[in-house]
Amino acid sequence: MSSSTSISGFTQISISYSSSSTHYIFARAHISSKKSTSSWPSGRTLFLVNVPPDATERDIILLLKPYGTVEKVIFDSDSPIQGEEDGANSDSEAEEVEEQEEVQHDNDDIDATQPRKRRKLTTKKLEPPKVFPLPSIPLRKLRKTGQTAHVIFLDTSSVDRFFSASHAKPRPWPSSSEEPSGLSHYLALYDSLRPPLDAVRQHANSAMDLYEFELAKSKRESKYKKGEAIVDEDGFTLVTRGGAYGRTVGGGVAVATKKFQETGETSERNKKPKKEKTSFYAFQKAEKQRDELIQLKKNWELDKAKVEKLKASRKFKPY
Amino acid sequence: MVWLCQISFSFTSMTAERKRKREESLSSRKLKKLPPAIENDDISAQDTYESSDMQEDEWSNAESDNGEDADWGGISYEAEKSVRSGKRSTKPTGEEIRAIKDATDLFRSNTFKLQIDVLLPNIQPKTKRKPPLERFLLSLYTFLSGLSDVPPKHPLEAARNLLKEGVSVPFPTPLPTEETQWKVAFASPSDITVVGSWANKTSVKGQGRSSFGVDLAVEMPSSLFQEKDYLNGRFFHKKAFYLATIAAAIANPNSGLNVDVSYISTNDDPRLTKLILEPKADGSSTDFTKLNARINIIPTISPTESPIPLHRLSPAHANMRITPESASASSSFSDKQIKDSSNLPSPMYNNALLTSFVPKSYLLSVHAIQQIAPGFKDALALIRVWANQRGYGESGGQAAGISVRGFDGKGPWWAALLMYLILGEEPTSAGGKFGVHGKRKPLGKGLSSYQLFRAALDFLANHDFENEPVFVKAEGGHRYTPDEYSSNHDMVFVDSSSTVNLLAGVPTGSMKLLGNDARRTLETLDDSSTDPFPEVFLVDHRDLQTRFDVVINVDLSKAKSRKSNFHQTLDLGSASNAILSSVSSVLTQALGNRVQAIGILHPTPSTRPLSQAHPLTSHIIHIGLIYNPLHAWRQVDHGPNPASGPDPVSVKKFRDFWGDKAELRRFKDGSIVESVVWDVKTVDEKTLIPRRIVAFVLERHFGIGEEAVRGWQEGFDRMLRLPESVSRYYVGADGAGVGVGFKAALGAFDSVVKAIKALSADEGNALPLSVMNISPTSESLRYTSVFSPVPLPDSIASVLPANARYLNPTEFVIEFERSSRWPDDLKAIQKVKLAFLEKLARDLMGTVKGLRATVIAGDVEGMDESEIRDVARLEVITEEGWAFVGRIWHDREAVLLDRVINDTASTLPHVAHKDKSQRQGRNYHSAIQAREAYTRLYLHAPMHHRAIAKLCHHFPAFAGTVRIAKRWFAAHWLLGGTDGAGYVSEEAVELLCAMFFVKRGWEAEVDRGDEDKDVRGVEQMVVPGSKERGFALLIQFLKDWKWDVRGEGILVPLYGSSTVPNSKQPKAVAASISTGVWKIRTAMDEEGGIWTMFGPDAIVARRVRALAQATWKCLKEMETSASSEKGVVLSIFDHPTDDYDVIIDLDRALLPRYHQNVSLTASQLLQIPRRKQFSNDDELAAASSREIRPGFDPAMLVCRDLKRIYQDTFRIFHDCFGGDRFGIVWDPSLKQPRPFRVLGGFSFSAESQDKQVTGKVDKGSKRDMVVLNEQGVLGELERLGRGIVSGITIHAR
């Protein structure tokens, strides 16, 4: 952190977009927090804040090239859970991304930005049917501005090199030409949304195959069989509402109503209001009548107050 | 007053009852030791909060004494006493109950009564300011009584004498000449009385700054007149001289009366000139400036003593007997005309003369009725306030506003109207001949002011003034025969003295307008959902644009009647009155049943100095029409049939009226009749027919050229049309052209529907499920898209410039039959949808020639992360060049999504609830979003579409209103659907506009109207008849809409009684993503957020209000402004860009929708592509490629992306119709430095170095401060919009 500007422990990297505008990325070495078991190698991971919204993995690799080879870039907004964290905690909860990212890499090397990736949980044991993805061309993914990213270098020395270098002097943003931007981006996007029909069919069919495969698998693995009762740890048998014929997974019995199942409330049939004669005795009638009159007066006073209020706001001058 | 007795009776018996009961309960309590609360249960159940305080003091008294068991009687007595005294405040007395009952029974509601009570003092003169006026009137009385006589003189000589004092005598035409034989004289008045509303204390403040009028009837001595004075205006000349003499005397500085004197002529009729005395503020004891009153001196004549025989003044008498010799000097009329005129009756002249007889009798009759009908005074005040708010009365001077013609000085009429309702009518001999109702029964004398007011409105709304003359009950019976009135006046309303026709000189159109207003007010009063009081009495309804379907501005300065009528001029008193009167009758004849009412509006007369004898009338009049939607746009007017009826006169008349326009035509039914045909080329032009008729007849009958007749419709129409340079390709060179417009779009859609349905029926290669329903959801299929839809066939696409080549995709929803074969998994459902669409696309291309179909497998943002989002769509481009986009509706999705949202996804929902934190996961969020989209797209959109389409069918002006409104929102960079780049969705605009057309039960009404044309169907409903009026109403509403105060929004009864389907979605959905502040509720959407969920938010909504206010100002000034028609309308749609921090210019050559731009000129459109230098090959390809991309609008895509990326940094605005600029406003909170945060959500840079150092020293602030990096963001914008953005302008603050 020699000559570079730093702020709250972050090193400021200046990037010039054009002669007049400069963007700032803030970088810090990644520190894995105690709470979360972050899988990022702490020694060689760089944490970037305020990444440009249209940055691609390639862009960042190009930017950091002088300091070493980048193994991987993870944009945090792509992680499944958008935790609202602050400071050092921000880099947790993203293991899944990594795995998925790897799966994805099998198909396509460069597409961290691939918009229409159908991810399926891969199961190791039985060989699942392979999903044919829809054809895609590399496209920029435009994320919300002010996002964070993690960069994993191949070796630890790169991080040291990075921090020892000076970042005061603005460097140009290495906008890669692989993914188009601007008008061309939109044209490409428009066309890529309309894949050939054959590809659509292939994709849909293979996806359905996978779905059925997994359905079958989950059925096989299910603890509960049709007609068998569900018994929890304490030994209580759960009584659930059955299907049309009283037999579903989990040994349903036609007991609990649908409503009970959904809301947990029993029917209101028992809550009949108590019937009471309100105008049986003469005094009751009299009381009622008196109350009505009092109510009348009260309403009158309320109306009066309302009008007074309007009057106070000088609303009654027609012109 | 039977009810009163009942009330008071029950009241007394109740007191006794209560006493007994309390004693009982006290004693019983002692015995049973029951807690009081239980005993009192039944009471408190009825009204908890009411009885609670009552209970309190009752029981607290009792309780405190309860411990002692001693003297029960004493305690109960005491308790009783204190209770009673405590009660007195809450329990109403008989008096109060009576007042309350009065208010609820005799008025609309308590509040209404109270509001009336508050209103009345505001419009009546203040009593404490009256004494100076009384002192002044006293001195004026002495002054006038002591005026010295002027001996008889020749009128002209007398006038010359007065002119020396600077007073000219307001002699009406025909002016006295040198040959005149009679003489004018002055003698001090025989009687001076305060008459009219002031004397009866029924004065009502007028509109604007006009003051209370104190009418002073100065009775001219009968000795000044002779029997023949009723002839040739002699009476008026004598009266004019009398008035001028008084004027000269008062104006004389030696008079001792420190007042300004001026003339004013009621209705600009010089015969009805009176003197106005206005106080000068000098602080003396007679200075009544603060009262805001002025004294009108009206010369009158005693009906009993005057030598003028009243029987000579009946409406049928001809009293203008001008010989050609005497008139030739002053007029250009031919002798023959003048000779003819001497035998014609002069009803208006007679009527004007009669008005000089009646003021005193009015005073007495109004006083009398005030004695017998207690509600009269207030009712009169109410009806006059109501009328003033609608422009029936004085407008308060030239500058203050304009009034409906004919109601100036009609004070006696309003009183007579109520009198008529209370007393009933004078039976006419002809009895049932007039009117179907026969004799009108008098209303009771004990009616409250509100009931009388309502009765008056009801009468105005339903009475047919043209055919049913009205005679107020008169003491002496009829003076003249009723037939005489009916045959000489358009409308007859004879006063209580049975002499004056109070409606003489009121155009029939004005009366119909009054009826129309009354009808609308009755509707307001009947609607129980809102408080009608402000609407009825407090809101100014004089705005022309919201009141009339079309407003036409006419300059009459060059008007010259084709058949100038000498007699009419004499009868009406002045040439300008004669012109106006004939304009009114000509328009009425020309428009016939096309209109419900014609209003002629102009400022009411203002005072003029004494040196000016005759009133100056304004030349500008406004003609307002209220259409009858059934007939307004009729293209052919039928006239008489020359063959069948031997009635050459009517044929001649018809030909004479229409001139060249009249032609003999043969019609389909075989008849050959005279007719007038108005040719139209487009549907837009049809709405111009009434306006064209007005222009035509004004030209034909009054020689008023096109330049003097102004309207604004064309300007609005132009906003909804494509430029000529584009539309000509559609019309085609040979006239064949391509099918365009809503009809063609619907036709193309139907054929696609048919093709899809045919596929599902196809035996061999059928779809797995058959198609149940295909519902359109696009605005171009419900007549409400701003531009009428056009296809883009290859032939046209190849010739159009790149920036005019936009094809709008039309959306629809496909519903398959229900089936259990759908997978029970959200992700899988999306895949099945893809498969279905793929099959549809493939088969459609196979069966329909020239059709292209693809599957869109993702949404436009390219941000499709979640797999449960419903993005798959079918895109179809037909051979004719129409584009359609369809989605599949699968109702199981809702259930599955709700499971995710409510977290009942597992089979056993109540076994294990996940904890909160996990619920907020990504799955949950995407489910929420998907559920919202599902509800909107599949439940509400088709329903909304059907309802709006129905509205368009029934209300011809509705579609136009919506289109104009959408254009307005778009032009101000706000329009954009829920998934678009804008803030106000199209559907929200449609709902807002629908508000002015629908009311509760409209569906039933229009359905009945369909079956039975002649009942009160659409015709009678008070709805805007033109899009301009609808638009003005919308703007008026938007400028005042307090969406932030009430919070509950508005209710649009769009859906009538149709059953409510289960369209509910989990509450969480709306709550979690809604940002809009507008709440537009319908029967189907009780939350009111479906179409306003994504905006406008508070900031944008405030902006809408500000824009509406500016537009409203523009609309109001439109009538008076001098600029051209086109310019005025354009300025409404001209968006001010000064408020934006940054303006981003876009490359016009690359905007496919640029041809829809508001301020486009044809030359720009065609030139730009040529001179454009393309920066790279891609863009060139994009710009020039001949491939048609439906819905591809890069500007919108960029805007949408920017809106999403920088949602916490700035707000971006854009006109979706070919706007060539973005406007950006930074989030003001980002201007302040804030502490460094990792997830700041905006692009920042560190604050300057030195500050940072101090920041570090300061222990309090742990974090370093950062600021928004504006330059950096702009750099990113440039990169994101590369190729489209052509320049960025920063507005310095």
Side-chain angles (χ1 to χ4, degrees), chain B residues 1228-1243:
Chain B
S1229 67
L1230 293 181
K1231 299 258 173 197
Q1232 296 303 316
R1234 43 169 78 184
F1236 177 86
R1237 274 179 85 232
V1238 168
L1239 285 168
F1242 64 98
S1243 170

Side-chain angles (χ1 to χ4, degrees), chain B residues 333-532:
Chain B
F333 299 100
S334 70
D335 287 357
K336 188 180 171 296
Q337 269 191 334
I338 294 164
K339 216 176 262 165
D340 285 350
S341 74
S342 61
N343 296 322
L344 292 171
S346 52
M348 297 299 292
Y349 171 86
N350 300 354
N351 206 60
L353 216 167
L354 282 170
T355 48
S356 294
F357 286 93
V358 291
K360 240 183 186 173
S361 84
Y362 285 166
L363 177 70
L364 296 177
S365 60
V366 171
H367 182 75
I369 198 147
Q370 272 188 297
Q371 301 310 309
I372 56 164
F376 177 85
K377 186 186 162 196
D378 288 352
L380 184 61
L382 290 180
I383 192 102
R384 296 206 62 181
V385 170
W386 176 84
N388 281 339
Q389 290 287 33
R390 284 154 183 81
Y392 304 100
E394 283 83 10
S395 58
Q398 203 89 8
I402 51 177
S403 295
V404 179
R405 174 164 175 78
F407 285 91
D408 179 32
K410 280 286 178 279
W413 182 68
W414 297 109
L417 173 68
L418 291 181
M419 222 182 273
Y420 167 72
L421 293 169
I422 296 171
L423 297 178
E425 73 179 332
E426 186 68 26
T428 53
S429 54
K433 183 183 155 194
F434 303 113
V436 281
H437 308 303
K439 193 165 169 276
R440 180 171 272 267
K441 285 218 177 69
L443 298 169
K445 297 180 177 80
L447 289 187
S448 73
S449 57
Y450 169 71
Q451 284 167 322
L452 267 178
F453 169 70
R454 228 196 122 105
L457 288 186
D458 190 59
F459 176 72
L460 292 176
N462 297 320
H463 189 78
D464 180 5
F465 283 93
E466 274 175 279
N467 297 319
E468 294 173 44
V470 178
F471 297 91
V472 180
K473 188 99 182 158
E475 263 175 46
H478 290 291
R479 197 183 293 273
Y480 311 123
T481 59
D483 286 344
E484 268 183 279
Y485 285 106
S486 319
S487 49
N488 288 299
H489 288 287
D490 288 340
M491 292 180 293
V492 179
F493 195 106
V494 178
D495 64 351
S496 58
S497 68
S498 189
T499 49
V500 176
N501 175 16
L502 290 166
L503 288 183
V506 178
T508 47
S510 299
M511 215 59 209
K512 285 205 178 141
L513 190 63
L514 186 66
N516 203 290
D517 277 328
R519 204 149 42 232
R520 194 180 322 178
T521 306
L522 285 175
E523 257 178 32
T524 314
L525 288 171
D526 288 341
D527 180 12
S528 55
S529 61
T530 51
D531 177 14

Side-chain angles (χ1 to χ4, degrees), chain B residues 724-773:
Chain B
E724 173 65 32
S725 52
V726 172
S727 58
R728 67 166 177 222
Y729 290 112
Y730 288 100
V731 178
D734 50 350
V738 192
V740 294
F742 294 106
K743 270 222 177 88
L746 280 165
F749 177 68
D750 281 345
S751 59
V752 169
V753 169
K754 256 187 215 130
I756 294 178
K757 289 218 163 149
L759 286 184
S760 75
D762 181 13
E763 294 278 322
N765 191 21
L767 291 164
L769 296 175
S770 66
V771 175
M772 278 249 294
N773 251 327

